[in-house]
């Protein structure tokens, strides 16, 4: 399978609007199953350079098997992507054959808003100097790794771990490895 070049682009304010449109669509499709729908990832952080793919966390209760969500979302619009991650399902959405959204379906529980992805988003929103630094890390990683998405993602681990450690410590939470969510 051919992978396309990783593109890190300037922040686009339309990403927030695209999230709102998708949130409304997901809310309509999932109904009462969706307890929370949050824009996460770099496109959710004003000023952050990013790959132009909207990441969305959908906290559901109860948390069911993935075929249930595929039936609600529709397999023609949202493609289920097996990831091997425990406690979450990933669905990709493409528009005109362009990958535009990642929909992460996960349990809505007392720890939903303490997930590392949400802590990272909120911390970077409050620290624009880190947004600029993260943008530089992302651009250098995209240049270095070209089409290798996993290598690109792992190359950002040091920066992401540092920010998440700071965000978790600020809230009095135990530190976790960003890849395993296991205590450090």
């Amino acid at each position: 399978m051919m992978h396309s070049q990783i593109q890190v682009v300037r922040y686009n304010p339309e990403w927030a609007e695209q999230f709102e449109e998708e949130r409304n669509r997901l809310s309509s499709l999932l109904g009462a199953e969706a307890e929370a729908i949050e824009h996460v990832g770099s496109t959710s952080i004003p000023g952050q350079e990013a790959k132009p793919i909207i990441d969305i966390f959908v906290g559901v209760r109860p948390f069911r098997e993935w075929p249930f969500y595929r039936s609600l979302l529709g397999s023609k619009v949202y493609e289920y992507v097996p990831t091997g991650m425990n406690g979450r399902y990933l669905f990709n959405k493409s528009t005109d054959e362009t990958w535009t959204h990642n929909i992460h379906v996960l349990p809505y529980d007392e720890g939903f808003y303490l997930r590392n992805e949400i802590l990272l988003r909120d911390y970077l929103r409050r620290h624009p100097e880190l947004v600029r630094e993260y943008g530089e890390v992302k651009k250098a990683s995209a240049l270095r790794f070209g089409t290798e998405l996993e290598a690109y993602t792992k190359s950002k681990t040091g920066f992401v771990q540092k920010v998440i450690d700071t965000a978790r410590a600020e809230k009095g939470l135990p530190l976790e490895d960003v890849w395993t969510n296991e205590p450090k």
Side-chain angles (χ1 to χ4, degrees):
M1 178 164 89
M2 183 79 169
H3 295 285
S4 61
Q5 182 71 29
I6 297 167
Q7 299 282 324
V8 175
V9 301
R10 283 188 161 162
Y11 176 76
N12 183 344
E14 291 179 9
W15 292 335
E17 297 166 19
Q18 292 167 6
F19 162 72
E20 288 299 330
E21 290 171 11
E22 199 64 29
R23 175 173 40 192
N24 291 337
R25 186 174 297 112
L26 291 167
S27 181
S28 174
L29 292 170
L30 295 169
E33 293 283 327
E35 295 276 340
I37 303 175
E38 290 287 333
H39 189 185
V40 297
S42 293
T43 61
S44 71
I45 303 161
Q48 182 66 71
E49 294 170 295
K51 295 187 316 298
I53 300 165
I54 310 296
D55 281 286
I56 300 174
F57 271 12
V58 180
V60 295
R61 189 173 8 204
F63 185 61
R64 305 171 192 260
E65 295 298 317
W66 70 267
F68 175 79
Y69 301 107
R70 184 180 64 183
S71 72
L72 290 179
L73 296 173
S75 60
K76 293 189 190 302
V77 178
Y78 301 94
E79 179 184 354
Y80 172 69
V81 180
T83 64
M85 290 187 281
N86 291 326
R88 138 180 0 187
Y89 306 124
L90 176 64
F91 293 86
N92 287 346
K93 179 181 178 184
S94 295
T95 304
D96 299 324
E97 298 185 23
T98 300
W99 177 21
T100 59
H101 296 76
N102 288 322
I103 312 302
H104 304 261
V105 178
L106 39 118
Y108 182 80
D109 57 23
E110 66 283 345
F112 181 81
Y113 285 100
L114 298 176
R115 296 186 67 91
N116 287 334
E117 297 88 342
I118 292 176
L119 294 173
L120 177 70
R121 175 199 69 189
D122 293 349
Y123 195 84
L124 288 175
R125 283 178 173 176
R126 293 190 316 271
H127 295 279
E129 71 283 0
L130 292 176
V131 169
R132 286 187 294 281
E133 183 181 342
Y134 193 28
E136 293 303 317
V137 168
K138 292 161 92 44
K139 288 187 289 189
S141 293
L143 188 62
R144 180 173 178 203
F145 294 105
T147 62
E148 300 300 319
L149 188 57
E150 187 174 337
Y152 163 81
T153 300
K154 286 187 177 186
S155 72
K156 302 179 303 174
T157 300
F159 178 87
V160 171
Q161 186 72 62
K162 176 181 77 170
V163 173
I164 289 176
D165 285 352
T166 304
R168 292 184 71 79
E170 185 179 82
K171 293 193 173 295
L173 299 170
L175 302 185
E176 294 180 345
D177 180 273
V178 296
W179 284 103
T180 65
N181 292 330
E182 297 293 323
K184 284 176 74 179

